Amino acid sequence: MPALTTTADGFLLHGEPFRIVSGALHYFRVHPGQWADRLRKARLMGLNTVETYLPWNLHQPDPDGPLILDGILDLPRYLALAKQEGLHVLLRPGPYICAEWDGGGLPAWLTADPDIRLRSSDPRFTGAIDRYLDLLLPPLLPHLAANGGPVIAVQVENEYGAYGDDTDYLKHLHEGFRSRGVEELLFTCDQADPAHLQAGGLPGTLATGTFGSRIEQSLARLRAHQSEGPLMCTEFWVGWFDHWGEPHHTRSAADAAADLDRLLSAGASVNIYMFHGGTNFGFTNGANHDHAYAPVVTSYDYDAPLTEHGDPGPKYHAFREVIARHAPVPAEPAPAPAPKLAPFTVELTHRAPFLPYAVRTTEPVGAETPLTMDELGQPAGYVLYRTTVPEAGDGLLHFTGGVGDRAQVFLDGAPVGVLERERHDETLAVRAPRPGAALDVLVENLGGVNYGPRIGAPKGLLGPVTFDRTPLHGWSCHRLPLTDVTGVPFEPSDRADDHEPAFHHGTFEVTEPADTFLALPGWTKGQAWINGFHLGRYWNRGPQRTLYVPAPVLRAGRNDLILLEQHATTARRAQFTDTPDLGPEKP
């Protein structure tokens, strides 16, 4: 018997009238040492529910391997903490989640099949989903409300009407949940557009909408599609995400609060997207590709009520006041900002050249023409491609099909240019210093497209390479997922600057761990790790200028900072500050 049921115009929870006042809080974007803190702050804002997606690509990175449910992916622990805090949970397992997440959450091993029809009733796709659900649902069933847990509803797919209209596929998912023991309310969600609601709906399943404004119009469209039942906005967009090279997006607290008030005044239920955005740690960010490829930045602050670093922002206080007009809000005071480390500087005293490291420490895969990352079985990170050019002199390197997503080109170790997918680059004029000069192409995966028909677009070198129309053969492909950088062979260095890709290492002392922010003026582009924890990508093109360092990443005493700088640095030091800088706002 489901705990949450519907009436002609609302919800009942265990038979009593209930309005969902929820906020999105993705466990996989928050350090697990901070889950309890973020959940407590959700309750204190007046939320009675939290919502989370599930990233299939992280939980099942190997189609034949076990399900991963530990560390930042310990969803059962997250659900237990939510229950402990007195919060209900909306679970959105996808299989597709969008979420500005790498590949929309679809595993690279799945999207690598060029013939598979994603998000459809193609048996190859539904078969993979069935195997995933067979692994996923047994450890989650104890956390469903029917079994005394906090999960009161489960979503079927995600904004499917913006992608397709395969009702048989949606029915397969619906039956997949039911046949595996999910008794709770099932729902769909689509953008508040009549065509999307029609294509993404499933008869007999609650339809909900996603929108951030035009409240009355959006609710009217939802009611026109579904003549009775609760009105629910499953994604009330209160901010937005950022791409590298674009301004930082914000929305005024007053404007968002006014629309939240309109939504609640209409009697609707809501899930605030995002309540707390968190961070795209490591290589997990997604990308968009409309006219051009555009990768998402490391921060997923989203201008949410609770900032990326977990402090109440202006929207937190404004939303708390609005919610108090419509639902109970705890009498406890709003939470105060968390402690921050005082600003300090770290000298990076050791280095290790990156290209030699890549060659020495990885087993190359030989190929006559370059292999894509999919063909190499690598879902994220970098690949170094190596061959030689036959002749000396000026010539044109042509990369058939372009690159996915960004390639740095070197001849005999000297940088000669960069190609980017977002600029549709395919050619580069170079001067080969001698016959047989070594050609190195370092390709970076900047994040898988998470929305639209380009999900699963290949990464790496995407076709044959020629030099003045002469095909280049005999490639060595070095896989560089960089999942572990503890073995980098650092040596002392006193160089004032650096002009080649290299790892850099420094140490610093902390008396008592607290949140801080890593700033890298004078550095160009790369990755950052603290104590082996991959903070994510930095890039001086902005808008983001600092990386969030969660307090649990640090330890009392000595701490290690490692940077992979891909281009050049004029500063052999890093700065830690007590204030984030996510860049200039969009005018």
Side-chain angles (χ1 to χ4, degrees):
M1 177 70 181
L4 187 69
T5 56
T6 64
T7 67
D9 61 357
F11 290 108
L12 298 176
L13 184 62
H14 301 299
E16 298 296 326
F18 181 72
R19 188 212 298 257
I20 297 171
V21 184
S22 176
L25 204 174
H26 300 158
Y27 59 97
F28 49 91
R29 281 181 159 130
V30 179
H31 192 285
Q34 297 172 320
W35 287 346
D37 173 78
R38 305 311 194 242
L39 290 165
R40 181 181 68 88
K41 289 170 178 173
R43 179 182 62 81
L44 291 180
M45 197 179 81
L47 303 183
N48 57 32
T49 306
V50 291
E51 169 269 310
T52 186
Y53 283 125
L54 279 65
W56 183 6
N57 59 344
L58 292 194
H59 282 297
Q60 194 186 18
D62 181 345
D64 301 316
L67 193 75
I68 297 178
L69 285 175
D70 59 9
I72 202 168
L73 297 176
D74 191 349
L75 178 56
R77 175 174 173 263
Y78 177 82
L79 297 176
L81 288 172
K83 180 182 178 181
Q84 185 176 316
E85 195 60 50
L87 294 166
H88 306 291
V89 176
L90 305 177
L91 213 57
R92 303 173 75 190
Y96 162 78
I97 64 172
C98 186
E100 292 70 60
W101 188 256
D102 184 35
L106 298 179
W109 55 260
L110 181 69
T111 60
D113 182 348
D115 298 320
I116 199 168
R117 289 185 294 115
L118 301 175
R119 304 178 71 189
S120 79
S121 52
D122 180 343
R124 291 165 296 185
F125 188 62
T126 56
I129 293 169
D130 289 343
R131 291 190 294 275
Y132 173 53
L133 294 182
D134 285 343
L135 295 171
L136 176 69
L137 290 178
L140 298 188
L141 290 179
H143 299 278
L144 302 185
N147 300 317
V151 177
I152 58 173
V154 177
Q155 181 175 290
V156 178
E157 244 281 354
N158 185 55
E159 291 192 328
Y160 184 64
Y163 182 87
D165 59 359
D166 188 342
T167 303
D168 288 340
Y169 164 56
L170 297 180
K171 288 179 179 177
H172 184 94
L173 290 176
H174 188 284
E175 175 58 25
F177 291 126
R178 288 288 186 241
S179 65
R180 290 171 177 84
V182 176
E183 299 179 33
E184 305 312 323
L185 177 76
L186 298 179
F187 66 97
T188 61
C189 89
D190 284 285
Q191 296 169 36
D193 172 274
H196 288 199
L197 289 165
Q198 182 62 37
L202 187 61
T205 303
L206 177 67
T208 69
T210 63
F211 49 89
S213 60
R214 300 175 182 173
I215 304 303
E216 293 80 8
Q217 179 190 71
S218 298
L219 292 176
R221 288 178 172 180
L222 189 57
R223 178 55 75 214
H225 170 75
Q226 188 170 250
S227 60
E228 64 176 38
L231 292 173
M232 169 88 182
C233 179
T234 302
E235 290 186 17
F236 173 54
W237 304 317
V238 299
W240 207 244
F241 55 91
D242 295 337
H243 295 121
W244 290 110
E246 297 180 1
H248 173 49
H249 291 79
T250 61
R251 180 183 181 184
S252 79
D255 178 65
D259 274 343
L260 177 62
D261 192 40
R262 292 185 184 95
L263 189 55
L264 295 177
S265 295
S269 286
V270 65
N271 177 58
I272 296 164
Y273 194 98
M274 298 288 297
F275 160 70
H276 173 53
T279 307
N280 296 314
F281 294 119
F283 295 121
T284 59
N285 66 277
N288 292 99
H289 195 147
D290 295 325
H291 303 294
Y293 175 80
V296 174
V297 302
T298 301
S299 170
Y300 200 65
D301 176 83
Y302 214 86
D303 196 32
L306 204 65
T307 63
E308 180 183 12
H309 50 284
D311 285 352
K315 289 191 181 79
Y316 187 97
H317 302 287
F319 285 11
R320 196 170 191 249
E321 290 182 9
V322 169
I323 293 169
R325 298 175 202 152
H326 303 276
V329 170
E332 304 160 68
K340 311 292 187 299
L341 293 182
F344 62 99
T345 300
V346 176
E347 300 291 334
L348 288 105
T349 56
H350 291 65
R351 71 185 293 277
F354 183 52
L355 299 188
Y357 164 86
V359 173
R360 287 197 309 267
T361 61
T362 61
E363 187 69 30
V365 178
E368 277 301 288
T369 58
L371 300 175
T372 66
M373 287 190 179
D374 285 339
E375 291 169 327
L376 291 167
Q378 183 179 315
Y382 302 76
V383 172
L384 177 64
Y385 297 88
R386 307 200 93 191
T387 189
T388 58
V389 294
E391 304 292 337
D394 295 334
L396 196 66
L397 278 171
H398 178 72
F399 294 80
T400 304
V403 302
D405 300 307
R406 190 174 188 269
Q408 296 170 240
V409 183
F410 305 83
L411 281 168
D412 278 349
V416 294
V418 174
L419 299 100
E420 294 185 324
R421 175 173 245 159
E422 66 181 274
R423 298 193 310 239
H424 309 285
D425 291 336
E426 292 192 5
T427 58
L428 185 66
V430 301
R431 173 170 293 176
R434 60 181 179 85
L439 173 65
D440 287 328
V441 185
L442 180 64
V443 181
E444 178 184 7
N445 176 345
L446 287 169
V449 172
N450 57 258
Y451 185 83
R454 296 179 187 267
I455 292 173
K459 305 293 186 176
L461 292 185
L462 306 182
V465 181
T466 62
F467 180 63
D468 268 359
R469 300 185 180 180
T470 300
L472 300 181
H473 297 296
W475 291 84
S476 295
C477 310
H478 295 264
R479 292 171 288 198
L480 297 161
L482 300 185
T483 52
D484 184 357
V485 294
T486 56
V488 175
F490 288 105
E491 294 184 356
S493 174
D494 58 1
R495 294 170 61 164
D497 55 14
D498 212 335
H499 298 284
E500 66 173 335
F503 287 107
H504 301 264
H505 176 257
T507 63
F508 58 97
E509 298 286 327
V510 169
T511 302
E512 184 175 350
D515 285 348
T516 185
F517 307 90
L518 175 62
L520 296 167
W523 300 76
T524 305
K525 184 180 191 299
Q527 310 290 332
W529 293 261
I530 289 184
N531 297 330
F533 185 90
H534 191 178
L535 297 177
R537 179 178 288 108
Y538 67 87
W539 199 349
N540 66 359
R541 78 188 310 187
Q544 182 175 356
R545 292 174 179 150
T546 57
L547 292 176
Y548 172 51
V549 182
V553 169
L554 301 173
R555 55 196 175 214
R558 172 177 158 156
N559 292 264
D560 293 281
L561 169 65
I562 293 177
L563 301 179
L564 168 59
E565 171 54 55
Q566 296 171 223
H567 289 276
T569 176
T570 58
R572 298 304 302 278
R573 62 182 56 185
Q575 298 176 7
F576 287 86
T577 177
D578 57 2
T579 306
D581 184 353
L582 299 181
E585 297 178 6
K586 185 176 182 180

